Amino acid sequence: SGTGIAAGIARVGLTGRFGVEAELFDPHAERPLLAVANHFHRHRCARRRRRDNLRQVVAAVHRLAVELDDDIAGLEARRRSRPWRNLCHDRAAPILITGSSGFIGSRVVESLLHLGFTNLRCFVRPSSNVSSLEKIAKSRCGEGIRLEILEGNLLSPEDCERAARDVSVIYHLAAGRGEKSYPNSYMNSVVTTRNLLEVAAKYNHLRRFVNVSSFTVYSTRNIRRGGMLDESCEMEKQPERRGEAYCYAKVRQDEIVM
């Protein structure tokens, strides 16, 4: 009866959020009480499984973090023992850094000096703020380091000649940001890179040309929701359809370098 069911449920002590502790069962209410108990028992088991799964995930993440720390420590140790061994045999050979007054460029200059390279040629636009480079040069004064700040325009073959003459490595960071138009971005990313490559090819000193690209050259078309955009993604095949001048110019720049 309804009274028996109510009396039986009243004798059920709830422990926690899902737990059920049956004390005495009313004979008339045994089956309904068992159903209630089973219901809460399933929820308790599910919660326990979720907790166990979470613990396993946390443990796996911890193991990966430890392994990553070990890998980073090993790479750092190798880098210190053999800093860029294959980059350039002569640490005094000139290295050209275009776009060296920018946020990334100035840090490339600092890193090269830290690794022992002593002859850096920093190419900047005439309108560039070179205070960061002057600060770096001042802090290294008296250490036998030559840091030359060379102003010019990479659209000019003559300026490219002055910049790339006798260099062993080129770090090419200068690029058009595309703030004005597609032609502006193309001229200051693609044409300037072509000019620099043509001049560098005339000399027999160049060992490496490092072109700094951008994540904008990669397509997000085949990435699943929540996926990662990285160098394994395919490059944008039709950058002109993205509606971004910078993307278009960087894709075309990478094409002529590769």
Side-chain angles (χ1 to χ4, degrees), residues 154-155 185-196 256:
L154 293 178
L155 288 172
S185 187
Y186 187 89
M187 291 288 291
N188 287 285
S189 292
V190 183
V191 176
T192 52
T193 302
R194 183 204 63 190
N195 292 345
L196 200 58
I256 65 172

Side-chain angles (χ1 to χ4, degrees), residues 135-159:
K135 183 179 179 180
I136 294 172
K138 186 177 180 180
S139 66
R140 295 281 185 161
C141 182
E143 297 183 14
I145 290 173
R146 184 171 186 264
L147 197 154
E148 177 186 6
I149 300 177
L150 183 64
E151 293 185 352
N153 191 334
L154 293 178
L155 288 172
S156 166
E158 292 76 17
D159 287 350

